[in-house]
Amino acid sequence: MLSTIINVLVSSVVLASYMDPGACAQYYEGKVLYEWLDVEYDWLSEEMKNQYEADGRYDRTHSFISGVKAFKGIIYLTVPRLRFTTGVPSTLNRIIQKEKSSVLTPFPDWAAQELGNCNALQCAMSMEVDPISGLMYVIDTGRSGVFGNNISGQPTPVICPPKLVVYDLADGSLVRSHNFPEDLVSNTTNFLNDIVIDRGGPGCKTARWIYITDAVDSKLVVFNLVTNKTHIIHHESMDYEPGDGSNITVNGVSYIFETPIDGLAISSDFEYVYYCALGSKKLYQVPSSVVRQEGADFASKVRLVGSKISQTGGMTYGTDNLFYGALIKNSVYKWEVTKDAQSKGGNVGLVELDTESEVVRDDERLRFPDSFTVDENQNLLFSACNAEKFLRGTIDFSGAQGPNFRIWSVNISESSYLAPRAGACPCSLG
Ligand SMILES: *[C@@H]1O[C@H](CO)[C@@H](O)[C@H](O)[C@H]1NC(C)=O
Ligand SMILES: *[C@@H]1O[C@H](CO)[C@@H](O)[C@H](O)[C@H]1NC(C)=O
Ligand SMILES: *[C@@H]1O[C@H](CO)[C@@H](O)[C@H](O)[C@H]1NC(C)=O
Ligand SMILES: *[C@@H]1O[C@H](CO)[C@@H](O)[C@H](O)[C@H]1NC(C)=O
Ligand SMILES: *[C@@H]1O[C@H](CO)[C@@H](O)[C@H](O)[C@H]1NC(C)=O
């Protein structure tokens, strides 16, 4: 059977909407921008595809879409080599239009995707784009099959150093590649999962620190872009909760995800970092100043802000609010951080999670919202990728249950945390 692509461009069709029951009723319209049954790539030739299929480098049932970011009208997607050690031809991609369908083309090129070549990407779960510099920061676990080395017939992955790779989106050039020290980020167990950029303050124009969650080794990895030094932070709040906390029921099926710190966000003034374990509903806040400084007293500064309505994979901060997936609700939710801080005299350092509301929900099409970003037009883009089924091997690639992977867009009327802030105080860092 030829691999089937179901790809519908429905930019004018409203698939889901929701009326916020709050005082200032807010109306959101969610649209599915792209949907696919399986991931199809922009092969250089039919021979290339046949060759990749023959030698196992391509297996259409091994690819699922996770990370999503957008810049200047181009959407970038990761296909993490998570469950299988081989069969995913390209881990970092952008969407292009080819004839009547939308396919993934490797970014920056095929060479950058080569398995077993430690100069290339091995498994990219996520990335972040700095819209001021136009640089993309990509995290690479350094090995394929993070969750799947046990599946019989899969080759043993080549172990490469986990790394941060920076590309200039203007021309796809490699700006820098930094290997993390092996004593801080394990090259055999890490799952570098989510990433945010910290500029140090709203008036600052350059990326200064990178924070990354490690969703197997339960730590926050902090990389200083100026000194090139890395430090790691572990705290028990980053661990999953055994029992109900890590029991995620999606459409009547329960999945146990004993997965620690996963979702990550930083406020638009870069003052506070937020994170949650996948296997917990609890959301934590810590001042960025504590994260930036190696050896700071994290335990006395980290704060539980509350429990979300659901466990969450990914999250992102807009200007005033935190947006996150609500996995058990087939929804995206919003926590009104700035509004809730008003009842604490405007002190965000005391805020509690009181006002959370549904932004968009769709029980059919919005399964496992995983990765989030806000584009230059105030659209919240996210992937809905059936990860729970993909990772458990129960996803249906026959087409009988419709498309598996979707990219959604919702106009949220607020900008990304990384959008330049007009009238912000001058950057106080050198
Ligand atoms: C592999 O299987 C063993 C035993 O069944 C299990 O303990 C381990 O967690 C598995 N490893 C992965 C990466 O799934
Ligand atoms: C992986 O880390 C181990 C130490 O834990 C080190 O001995 C080995 O050289 C590393 N491998 C690579 C490819 O960096
Ligand atoms: C950090 O790394 C960058 C890119 O490799 C390099 O240009 C810079 O000189 C390094 N800075 C320090 C302080 O080592
Ligand atoms: C997970 O939760 C569901 C629904 O509450 C329950 O039926 C199931 O037994 C739980 N699974 C475990 C392993 O606790
Ligand atoms: C987004 O929504 C706001 C508020 O409803 C509206 O004013 C704005 O025009 C919308 N933007 C786009 C691009 O549709």
Side-chain angles (χ1 to χ4, degrees):
M1 266 295 283
L2 284 174
S3 112
T4 327
I5 310 169
I6 298 178
N7 170 237
V8 195
L9 276 161
V10 285
S11 47
S12 58
V13 181
V14 176
L15 290 177
S17 58
Y18 178 74
M19 183 67 78
D20 188 322
C24 323
Q26 206 163 354
Y27 188 65
Y28 294 101
E29 291 182 352
K31 295 175 222 172
V32 174
L33 294 184
Y34 299 95
E35 55 185 8
W36 295 276
L37 172 61
D38 55 15
V39 181
E40 185 55 276
Y41 298 90
D42 176 30
W43 301 101
L44 297 174
S45 64
E46 197 62 26
E47 290 70 39
M48 179 190 187
K49 182 178 175 181
N50 294 341
Q51 179 66 49
Y52 270 58
E53 273 181 325
D55 64 23
R57 279 181 290 173
Y58 176 52
D59 179 328
R60 76 179 190 99
T61 67
H62 289 197
S63 292
F64 91 109
I65 285 169
S66 180
V68 57
K69 296 290 173 276
F71 186 60
K72 293 193 171 170
I74 296 175
I75 296 179
Y76 298 85
L77 299 176
T78 65
V79 181
R81 289 163 169 151
L82 218 52
R83 182 155 191 263
F84 303 92
T85 59
T86 188
V88 177
S90 174
T91 187
L92 181 65
N93 307 276
R94 57 193 173 86
I95 303 178
I96 59 160
Q97 207 58 33
K98 202 174 185 189
E99 284 139 29
K100 281 187 179 157
S101 47
S102 300
V103 300
L104 301 198
T105 197
F107 180 82
D109 53 28
W110 280 104
Q113 319 295 331
E114 188 186 346
L115 260 185
N117 173 358
C118 292
N119 293 319
L121 297 167
Q122 300 304 293
C123 172
M125 184 72 182
S126 199
M127 66 299 211
E128 183 60 289
V129 175
D130 180 351
I132 294 181
S133 63
L135 298 182
M136 174 184 278
Y137 297 79
V138 186
I139 42 179
D140 179 12
T141 64
R143 71 194 191 288
S144 61
V146 170
F147 283 152
N149 335 37
N150 281 357
I151 295 172
S152 64
Q154 286 290 299
T156 306
V158 171
I159 302 297
C160 298
K163 58 185 185 288
L164 175 73
V165 181
V166 186
Y167 294 109
D168 187 340
L169 296 184
D171 57 6
S173 59
L174 179 68
V175 175
R176 65 200 276 187
S177 180
H178 179 84
N179 293 346
F180 291 112
E182 60 206 28
D183 56 331
L184 300 182
V185 182
S186 161
N187 59 26
T188 51
T189 56
N190 90 79
F191 180 18
L192 298 183
N193 185 296
D194 204 354
I195 170 171
V196 296
I197 291 172
D198 179 7
R199 292 197 188 112
C204 303
K205 299 277 190 281
T206 52
R208 182 99 176 198
W209 292 272
I210 297 291
Y211 307 146
I212 303 164
T213 56
D214 183 333
V216 164
D217 289 335
S218 190
K219 61 176 83 151
L220 196 58
V221 179
V222 179
F223 180 62
N224 184 323
L225 287 162
V226 176
T227 64
N228 300 331
K229 292 212 169 92
T230 303
H231 67 271
I232 54 170
I233 301 167
H234 170 73
H235 182 259
E236 60 189 18
S237 60
M238 299 175 184
D239 298 340
Y240 68 84
E241 293 178 276
D244 288 348
S246 43
N247 183 347
I248 305 180
T249 301
V250 182
N251 295 314
V253 183
S254 293
Y255 300 87
I256 306 301
F257 275 101
E258 294 185 330
T259 304
I261 182 168
D262 182 321
L264 181 67
I266 185 168
S267 58
S268 59
D269 60 4
F270 303 100
E271 288 286 320
Y272 293 98
V273 173
Y274 296 88
Y275 62 86
C276 61
L278 175 58
S280 171
K281 292 181 182 173
K282 290 182 178 152
L283 180 66
Y284 292 89
Q285 179 202 61
V286 63
S288 307
S289 58
V290 171
V291 176
R292 290 168 195 154
Q293 197 190 331
E294 182 171 10
D297 186 2
F298 192 91
S300 74
K301 296 289 167 37
V302 67
R303 220 167 51 82
L304 173 68
V305 295
S307 281
K308 296 174 275 94
I309 193 160
S310 164
Q311 294 92 345
T312 292
M315 54 172 72
T316 196
Y317 214 95
T319 306
D320 295 320
N321 302 301
L322 183 73
F323 295 86
Y324 47 93
L327 301 178
I328 66 171
K329 299 282 182 190
N330 302 314
S331 300
V332 171
Y333 265 67
K334 172 175 89 167
W335 170 32
E336 296 180 44
V337 186
T338 309
K339 178 186 168 193
D340 283 349
Q342 283 164 12
S343 62
K344 305 287 180 189
N347 186 345
V348 178
L350 300 174
V351 71
E352 285 170 34
L353 198 165
D354 293 326
T355 314
E356 68 173 340
S357 58
E358 193 177 278
V359 171
V360 62
R361 171 175 189 149
D362 190 315
D363 291 335
E364 292 294 313
R365 301 178 183 85
L366 208 169
R367 303 272 179 91
F368 214 100
D370 199 29
S371 173
F372 292 78
T373 193
V374 182
D375 74 7
E376 298 99 317
N377 299 316
Q378 305 193 327
N379 296 309
L380 179 72
L381 301 187
F382 62 93
S383 56
C385 60
N386 278 295
E388 79 292 357
K389 285 196 252 171
F390 180 83
L391 294 172
R392 296 295 185 267
T394 57
I395 198 162
D396 183 355
F397 282 109
S398 77
Q401 296 178 62
N404 287 315
F405 312 119
R406 293 182 175 87
I407 304 300
W408 281 77
S409 174
V410 189
N411 171 6
I412 54 167
S413 304
E414 64 184 275
S415 301
S416 160
Y417 76 99
L418 288 171
R421 302 271 161 243
C425 299
C427 184
S428 59
L429 301 163

